[in-house]
């Protein structure tokens, strides 16, 4: 388990906000999706769902980026140390790719649904996504983005919650605050693959907070700031490609977000403060 640390929300969640001139998170059409690019693929049948899943494991040559002799724990530590320091250059993305590939290659999937649910349930804080595409906006600040999983056998509920501050004045001081919740349900129907359905969106101002005068405009900014696969989870599924007590890596599959990786850390292990 990692020691308790403090990182800024922008360093962890909105890394791209430090890159006013260059967007660190771009679409696949704008830059290679470094976490999904592979030179070859090895297939392994594994899982415990109603049918076995065929899991793809990238086998890129990472020797030029990291030491491939690292243990899983060493790669995990290096990944967590790297993410807060990222400035958006390609070498950093290649290093993240390499650490993720190494962790996925060394990962032994949980073999029963009960153990998977026990390990996966709870609140997970988003540390990194390859699918943050929006430009920062001074009117909106995201303080935290958490994914909560409540498991129930081969199904359950999944909620993506963004804590926000919003400004409607010229001084750029925040006059409203609250949470934006994306409520979903899911089924596990192939190996450990979660097929997600969007149930509803909820905008909840905090107690004592003002209410934005133009709610649709504010939600539009949230749509730009939150990874698309978390804002609208329809039409894709999520594979857990690495999971331990602290760290969880999810790979998206589907027509919209194929190959996108999200990296989560269990909430409470890292203290994130807004800047």
């Amino acid at each position: 388990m990692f020691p308790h640390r403090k990182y800024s929300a922008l360093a962890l969640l909105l890394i791209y906000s430090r890159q006013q001139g260059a967007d660190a998170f771009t679409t696949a059409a704008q830059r290679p999706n470094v976490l999904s690019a592979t030179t070859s693929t090895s297939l392994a049948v594994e899982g415990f769902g109603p049918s076995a899943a065929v899991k793809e494991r990238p086998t890129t040559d990472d020797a030029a980026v990291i030491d491939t002799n690292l243990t899983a724990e060493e790669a995990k530590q290096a990944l967590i140390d790297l993410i807060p320091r990222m400035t958006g250059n390609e070498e950093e993305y290649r290093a993240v790719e390499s650490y993720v590939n190494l962790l996925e290659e060394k990962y032994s999937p949980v073999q029963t649904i009960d153990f998977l649910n026990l390990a996966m349930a709870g609140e997970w804080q988003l540390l990194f996504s390859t699918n943050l595409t929006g430009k920062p906006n001074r009117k909106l600040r995201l303080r935290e983005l958490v994914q909560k999983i409540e498991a129930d056998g081969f199904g359950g509920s999944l909620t993506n919650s963004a804590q926000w501050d919003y400004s409607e004045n010229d001084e750029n001081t925040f006059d409203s605050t609250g949470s934006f919740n994306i409520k979903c349900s899911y089924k596990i129907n192939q190996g450990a693959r979660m097929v997600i359905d969007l149930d509803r969106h909820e905008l909840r101002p905090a107690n004592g907070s003002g209410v934005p005068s133009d709610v649709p405009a504010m939600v539009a900014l949230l749509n730009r700031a939150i990874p698309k696969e978390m804002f609208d989870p329809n039409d894709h599924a999520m594979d857990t490609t690495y999971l331990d007590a602290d760290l969880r890596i999810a790979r998206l599959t589907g027509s919209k977000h194929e190959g996108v990786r999200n990296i989560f850390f269990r909430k409470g292990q890292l203290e994130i403060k807004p800047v």
Side-chain angles (χ1 to χ4, degrees), residues 120-122 147-160 182-187 194-197 199-200 238:
M120 192 168 56
Q147 186 170 91
K148 181 178 181 180
I149 298 175
E150 296 176 284
D152 182 14
F154 286 96
S157 65
L158 183 151
T159 302
N160 298 319
I182 302 143
K183 300 276 189 176
C184 311
S185 55
Y186 73 87
K187 295 290 185 183
M194 301 169 69
V195 179
I196 303 170
D197 292 313
D199 294 333
R200 63 188 181 276
M238 184 167 62

Side-chain angles (χ1 to χ4, degrees), residues 121-142:
E123 294 182 307
W124 297 88
Q125 201 157 21
L126 179 70
L127 298 187
F128 182 91
S129 173
T130 60
N131 204 29
L132 279 172
T133 58
K135 297 290 186 180
N137 190 295
R138 294 182 180 276
K139 291 183 175 295
L140 178 71
R141 176 175 67 179
L142 288 188

